[in-house]
Amino acid sequence: MTEAQATVEPFLRVRGLTKRFKEKTAVDDLSFEAYAGEVLGLLGPNGAGKSTTFLCLAGLARPDAGTIVLGGTVLGANRSRSIALIPETPDTFAALTVWEHLVFVARGCNLADGWQARGTELLTNLGLWDERELLGAELSKGMRQKTLIAATVLAGAPVVLFDEPMIGLDPLGQRELREILRTLRAEGTTILVSTHQLDAAETMCDRILILKAGHDVAAGSIAELRQSPDGERSLEDRFLEITR
């Protein structure tokens, strides 16, 4: 936690989050918090519970236990545009063009007139403007992912979850995504990023939460996590030590 964060309340609080799938407990009594204007990274090996945590936060999976508090309000099943998820496997509407995805979001969220300029900026920055008339059925995985990123950011949810956002993006798309994250952060959006790419986590995230088998096993800033009894180590080395 930074000195500035120590003086403010977390915007998102998760307490005792638990999710089971039959005999398997995917998330086990998980508690953490995130602040407005912060990028919190969720790291962990396969099966650590990162994607399940995101599904529960976004209201797409019902937790078996725990509470999710946003801005002091306990969230129920209806997230009412408060938490948006961009999943690892992007799905778009096959019969809508890229631009029509933005129109759909603008109308569904009752965005004020003038959203078109923001939508144009997002598509341009993501390298999609020239493809704005392509149908969802014609898009590559990377283009579908960019379309969802643009639509989600346009909606303006105060909390945005990115599940493995770099997978499928070309180098330009990755750079532009980092710029979008910086812009959202500056606007006060709370951002959670799940990734296996430790180098990306170092450049994107203010703090890191490391999960293993549904539990949180370490948390802190990059600098804090790199410290070990033997001195400073790389984030990769420390991650492997913590999750081994």
Side-chain angles (χ1 to χ4, degrees):
M1 181 186 302
T2 66
E3 292 183 5
Q5 289 170 346
T7 64
V8 299
E9 288 294 316
F11 185 63
L12 173 67
R13 291 182 184 270
V14 177
R15 292 291 179 265
L17 185 66
T18 301
K19 177 61 181 176
R20 304 182 185 91
F21 295 99
K22 295 184 179 180
E23 302 300 321
K24 177 179 176 56
T25 301
V27 181
D28 192 358
D29 195 27
L30 177 63
S31 297
F32 65 90
E33 54 199 27
Y35 294 83
E38 176 183 47
V39 181
L40 176 66
L42 268 65
L43 306 183
N46 291 332
K50 304 183 297 299
S51 294
T52 301
T53 297
F54 276 7
L55 291 174
C56 291
L57 291 178
L60 300 177
R62 178 171 294 181
D64 294 290
T67 58
I68 300 168
V69 182
L70 190 67
T73 301
V74 177
L75 297 184
N78 182 10
R79 295 291 184 265
S80 65
R81 294 173 49 199
S82 55
I83 300 180
L85 169 64
I86 300 173
E88 178 181 356
T89 303
D91 290 322
T92 54
F93 294 106
L96 294 185
T97 66
V98 171
W99 183 255
E100 286 170 344
H101 279 81
L102 302 192
V103 173
F104 178 81
V105 167
R107 291 177 177 174
C109 296
N110 295 316
L111 298 184
D113 290 340
W115 65 264
Q116 294 90 343
R118 176 62 165 157
T120 298
E121 177 187 26
L122 287 167
L123 293 186
T124 300
N125 290 343
L126 288 167
L128 273 183
W129 179 249
D130 290 340
E131 287 76 31
R132 63 189 180 279
E133 297 302 327
L134 287 181
L135 294 172
E138 302 174 294
L139 302 178
S140 67
K141 178 181 178 181
M143 294 168 70
R144 294 198 306 272
Q145 190 168 5
K146 291 178 181 180
T147 299
L148 289 185
I149 290 171
T152 302
V153 172
L154 181 68
V159 178
V160 182
L161 316 175
F162 292 86
D163 195 359
E164 294 291 352
M166 294 299 184
I167 294 178
L169 294 182
D170 55 28
L172 177 59
Q174 293 183 25
R175 172 183 289 184
E176 295 303 338
L177 175 59
R178 288 192 293 269
E179 288 296 328
I180 287 172
L181 291 179
R182 280 191 280 268
T183 299
L184 291 175
R185 182 181 183 275
E187 293 172 350
T189 302
T190 301
I191 304 166
L192 277 65
V193 178
S194 167
T195 182
H196 285 297
Q197 300 181 10
L198 301 183
D199 55 341
E202 288 193 90
T203 61
M204 291 190 298
C205 301
D206 300 301
R207 288 191 302 123
I208 297 291
L209 176 68
I210 299 180
L211 306 182
K212 180 180 179 181
H215 297 275
D216 58 306
V217 292
S221 67
I222 301 292
E224 290 169 339
L225 290 176
R226 290 179 62 180
Q227 296 301 317
S228 76
D230 299 324
E232 187 172 306
R233 308 283 296 279
S234 71
L235 181 61
E236 180 182 45
D237 286 342
R238 291 291 292 139
F239 173 81
L240 294 175
E241 289 173 4
I242 291 168
T243 58
R244 183 170 294 131

